[in-house]
């Protein structure tokens, strides 16, 4: 390996994917999947995001499925993208996790090379381009549909962006949910959402939304008290990304169960 | 056909070294110190945007003196190397030693094969942790690489500033102790540096993933305020 120094006309700038594609790094998913059983591919399901008083909240269940089988019980679908943003994934798990990894590095890389972080708008557009770049595989059944949310340091508000498989980027006013249980989760958030939710209220709303989604959708995992597997919940405020500890979620789950026995 | 004049290789190397040293000594100096609570790097730099000190990776910082465009190119190459390595393997596999060796190779190659050597001196600082000690790799214009575990001074007046820094050195000092000493060593007995003349950054182990951060304005003014002002007292 030698020091990656380029001539001015070949310089990839602050773009990490442009840098690695020079070395043919991103060649792993270029085969044709026709005739390949889609049942073998792991899928991730329900994720949601909502605005809160201080920023945004993002949450996701932990189940990964291969057709009708449960493939993994503790998958992470909500990730920190950079200091002030979070990304959640639904769809084919393998390519989705790879996309998150490249996206995280892409944002850090830009910030380090340029000396300033991308704007939230810039980060959202960048993710749209990555989803669009994945379209050929999405057409073969490996769709990746992320959710992106973060704290906009310029406008001083939390903002949420949803995507479709073509890379279309849609800014959501208050909340969004995607994945196979997304509809159910969205309905719950829609009923409970109000302006200026405190973190604790938003966490409870997210937990009940995921609970309802798990109730209706076989591919969404519920809260697994026996194995102590809780959803992943994170908040992003002007102070940055913070994942909510399992202990807090456990306590809230107990509280909610006592409030609304079913 | 005209024959080129014969110049002894010793002379060629001497000329190049002299040229590079001259370029480096025109710029201001830089001090880095390993402390019990991280690594602090302080440079004399009046610019707020053209940095001498910057982030390479989670635990690695870069600093350069000399010609800005040349060390900045090296900085960007370092970020690229680190991020590609972190992506290919894991973030934990990005280390300062391999980066320092790459820089040394490149600088050595330019020094011997190109018309003009790079007029830079650079530092790769790696924060320790998990039983690995912190390291400061100092790479000079000809590719000579050295590692230090206490302090490094780069730039024109390096030896004088180093002497001052050695005198102030305390075993296992904290950043709060080392920073005023670094500023005092940079300014020397005859000058006083203001907050606007300084660029200060650190590798802070209390941060979560990326340990690099720039010092806050308040930290810099506190450090300057804690330097005893001999000249002022004597004139009163």
């Amino acid at each position: 390996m030698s020091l990656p120094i380029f001539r001015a006309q070949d310089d990839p700038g602050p773009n990490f994917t442009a840098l690695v594609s020079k070395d043919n790094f991103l060649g792993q998913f270029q085969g044709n999947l026709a005739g390949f059983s889609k049942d073998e591919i792991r899928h991730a399901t329900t994720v949601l995001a909502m605005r809160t008083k201080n920023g945004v909240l993002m949450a996701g269940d932990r189940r990964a499925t291969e057709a009708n089988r449960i493939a993994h019980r503790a998958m992470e679908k909500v990730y920190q993208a950079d200091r002030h943003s979070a990304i959640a994934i639904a769809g084919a798990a393998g390519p989705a996790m790879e996309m998150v990894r490249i996206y995280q590095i892409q944002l850090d890389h830009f910030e380090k090379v340029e000396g300033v972080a991308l704007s939230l708008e810039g980060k959202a557009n960048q993710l749209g381009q990555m989803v669009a770049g994945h379209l050929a595989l999405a057409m073969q059944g490996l769709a990746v549909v992320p959710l992106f949310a973060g704290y906009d340091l310029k406008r001083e508000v939390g903002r949420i962006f949803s995507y479709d498989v073509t890379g279309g980027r849609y800014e959501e006013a208050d909340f969004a949910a995607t994945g196979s249980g997304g509809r159910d989760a969205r309905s719950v958030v829609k009923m409970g959402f109000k302006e200026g939710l405190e973190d604790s209220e938003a966490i409870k709303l997210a937990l009940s939304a995921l609970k309802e989604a798990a109730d209706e959708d076989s591919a969404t995992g519920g809260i697994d008290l026996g194995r102590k597997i809780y959803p992943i919940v994170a908040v992003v405020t002007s102070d940055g990304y913070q994942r909510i500890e399992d202990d807090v979620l456990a306590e809230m789950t107990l509280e909610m169960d006592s409030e609304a026995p079913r | 056909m005209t024959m080129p004049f014969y110049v002894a290789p010793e002379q060629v190397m001497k000329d190049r070294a002299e040229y590079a040293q001259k370029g480096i000594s025109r710029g201001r100096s830089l001090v880095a110190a390993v402390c019990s609570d991280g690594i602090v790097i302080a440079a004399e730099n009046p610019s707020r945007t053209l940095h001498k000190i910057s982030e390479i990776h989670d635990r690695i910082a870069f600093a350069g003196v000399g010609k800005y465009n040349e060390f900045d190119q090296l900085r960007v190459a370092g970020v690229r190397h680190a991020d590609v390595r972190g992506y290919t393997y894991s973030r934990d596999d990005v280390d300062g030693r391999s980066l320092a060796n790459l820089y040394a190779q490149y600088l050595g190659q330019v020094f011997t094969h190109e018309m003009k050597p790079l007029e830079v001196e650079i530092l790769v600082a790696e924060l320790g942790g998990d039983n690995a000690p912190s390291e400061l790799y100092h790479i000079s214009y000809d590719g000579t690489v050295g590692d230090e575990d206490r302090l490094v001074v780069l730039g024109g007046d390096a030896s004088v500033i180093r002497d001052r820094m050695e005198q102030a050195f305390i075993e296992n000092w904290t950043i709060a102790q080392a920073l005023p000493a670094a500023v005092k060593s940079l300014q020397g007995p005859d000058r006083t540096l203001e907050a606007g003349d300084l660029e200060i950054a650190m590798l802070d182990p209390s941060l979560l993933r990326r340990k690099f951060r720039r010092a806050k304005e308040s930290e810099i003014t506190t450090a300057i305020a804690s330097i005893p002002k001999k000249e002022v007292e004597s004139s009163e």
Side-chain angles (χ1 to χ4, degrees):
Chain A
M1 205 175 221
S2 64
L3 203 59
I5 285 187
F6 300 92
R7 290 182 303 168
Q9 62 266 35
D10 300 327
D11 197 290
N15 189 343
F16 181 74
T17 48
L19 170 71
V20 285
S21 61
K22 281 186 180 302
D23 296 329
N24 265 329
F25 262 93
L26 302 174
Q28 56 262 67
F29 295 124
Q30 279 163 9
N32 192 340
L33 289 164
F36 182 74
S37 167
K38 305 286 186 297
D39 296 352
E40 304 290 323
I41 296 162
R42 287 193 182 186
H43 279 79
T45 44
T46 312
V47 289
L48 62 90
M50 69 181 91
R51 271 196 313 108
T52 64
K53 188 178 160 199
N54 300 318
V56 286
L57 172 140
M58 220 173 209
D61 77 308
R62 305 292 292 269
R63 182 172 290 178
T65 55
E66 281 169 12
N68 62 344
R69 288 184 301 279
I70 295 171
H72 199 74
R73 292 177 208 281
M75 183 188 165
E76 304 208 353
K77 304 174 191 177
V78 177
Y79 296 86
Q80 176 172 12
D82 72 350
R83 207 162 286 153
H84 288 103
S85 65
I87 177 173
I89 48 169
M97 288 190 293
E98 183 65 11
M99 187 181 286
V100 168
R101 223 160 77 82
I102 296 179
Y103 186 58
Q104 289 168 326
I105 297 175
Q106 176 84 333
L107 298 186
D108 277 3
H109 190 75
F110 183 98
E111 188 185 335
K112 288 190 286 190
V113 172
E114 290 292 299
V116 283
L118 273 169
S119 65
L120 193 73
E121 191 92 23
K123 292 176 204 169
N125 288 340
Q126 174 75 64
L127 184 58
Q129 285 168 22
M130 289 177 70
V131 176
H134 188 72
L135 186 62
L137 283 158
M139 303 279 277
Q140 297 184 55
L142 289 180
V144 174
V145 188
L147 264 186
F148 178 70
Y151 188 81
D152 191 328
L153 292 163
K154 283 189 188 132
R155 299 194 194 174
E156 300 184 334
V157 285
R159 294 170 73 187
I160 298 166
F161 299 87
S162 67
Y163 297 84
D164 63 23
V165 285
T166 64
R169 189 212 83 166
Y170 310 89
E171 179 159 8
E172 305 286 344
D174 299 319
F175 53 83
T178 186
S180 58
R183 254 180 97 110
D184 303 296
R186 188 162 47 236
S187 304
V188 176
V189 177
K190 197 187 221 168
M191 301 304 284
F193 184 84
K194 58 179 199 274
E195 197 59 42
L197 282 172
E198 294 293 339
D199 281 356
S200 58
E201 295 173 308
I203 295 167
K204 275 189 189 169
L205 184 55
L207 287 176
S208 57
L210 289 173
K211 197 170 165 188
E212 291 310 320
D215 229 23
E216 301 297 326
D217 173 36
S218 64
T220 300
I223 297 170
D224 192 337
L225 292 169
R227 294 190 182 85
K228 294 194 167 54
I229 299 172
Y230 296 93
I232 294 186
V233 183
V235 290
V236 186
T237 63
S238 57
D239 295 334
Y241 175 98
Q242 192 204 348
R243 185 168 159 182
I244 307 298
E245 304 278 334
D246 279 357
D247 298 346
V248 177
L249 298 178
E251 206 172 291
M252 286 199 176
T253 310
L254 284 175
E255 253 175 63
M256 284 161 59
D257 284 350
S258 62
E259 280 164 13
R262 262 177 307 159
Chain B
M1 200 181 125
T2 52
M3 287 288 285
F5 285 108
Y6 173 79
V7 186
E10 289 91 341
Q11 189 59 43
V12 176
M13 291 303 157
K14 217 177 130 218
D15 287 352
R16 284 189 186 157
E18 225 164 67
Y19 178 84
Q21 280 162 357
K22 228 186 211 167
I24 293 163
S25 61
R26 268 197 291 271
R28 302 286 186 192
S29 301
L30 179 148
V31 176
V34 174
C35 305
S36 57
D37 55 349
I39 295 176
V40 64
I41 309 174
E44 220 185 310
N45 183 6
S47 171
R48 295 293 90 189
T49 47
L50 305 175
H51 296 298
K52 287 185 173 178
I53 313 167
S54 31
E55 174 182 13
I56 292 271
H57 203 256
D58 296 353
R59 316 186 69 86
I60 303 173
F62 173 96
V65 295
K67 219 163 172 240
Y68 175 79
N69 67 320
E70 292 182 349
F71 69 72
D72 196 59
Q73 187 192 26
L74 294 174
R75 171 188 74 86
V76 173
V79 171
R80 285 179 179 154
H81 167 76
D83 278 348
V84 168
R85 198 173 160 109
Y87 172 63
T88 317
Y89 306 109
S90 122
R91 301 192 80 90
D92 297 339
D93 296 309
V94 181
D95 68 325
R97 190 188 50 83
S98 85
L99 183 62
N101 281 334
L102 274 182
Y103 279 139
Q105 256 177 40
Y106 181 74
L107 285 167
Q109 192 199 330
V110 172
F111 184 74
T112 42
H113 295 290
E114 305 279 324
M115 269 289 286
K116 183 192 105 55
L118 295 176
E119 298 157 67
V120 295
E121 239 183 305
I122 58 173
L123 166 78
V124 174
E126 184 178 30
L127 185 68
D130 297 337
N131 302 323
S134 292
E135 289 287 353
L136 303 171
Y137 298 96
H138 166 198
I139 306 124
S140 55
Y141 57 86
D142 61 351
T144 313
V145 57
D147 70 320
E148 299 271 350
D149 51 8
R150 294 189 308 144
L151 52 96
V152 158
V153 181
L154 305 184
D157 306 322
S159 61
V160 184
I161 296 172
R162 200 191 160 85
D163 286 347
R164 290 184 202 134
M165 199 65 186
E166 289 281 3
Q167 274 176 17
F169 180 80
I170 311 164
E171 199 65 48
N172 276 326
W173 55 1
T174 61
I175 288 180
Q177 290 171 313
L179 186 52
V183 174
K184 199 172 168 225
S185 305
L186 282 174
Q187 71 182 18
D190 312 322
R191 298 190 304 155
T192 41
L193 292 172
E194 305 296 330
D197 304 324
L198 289 163
E199 179 185 353
I200 295 167
M202 38 210 125
L203 288 166
D204 179 349
S206 70
L207 298 180
L208 277 179
R209 186 165 58 92
R210 290 161 67 182
K211 311 288 187 190
F212 180 88
R213 73 174 176 89
R214 297 191 183 282
K216 296 184 218 76
E217 196 75 29
S218 60
E219 288 176 296
I220 303 178
T221 42
T222 315
I224 292 175
S226 68
I227 301 171
K229 294 206 165 42
K230 246 190 288 171
E231 293 83 4
V232 179
E233 282 162 17
S234 60
S235 67
E236 275 171 354

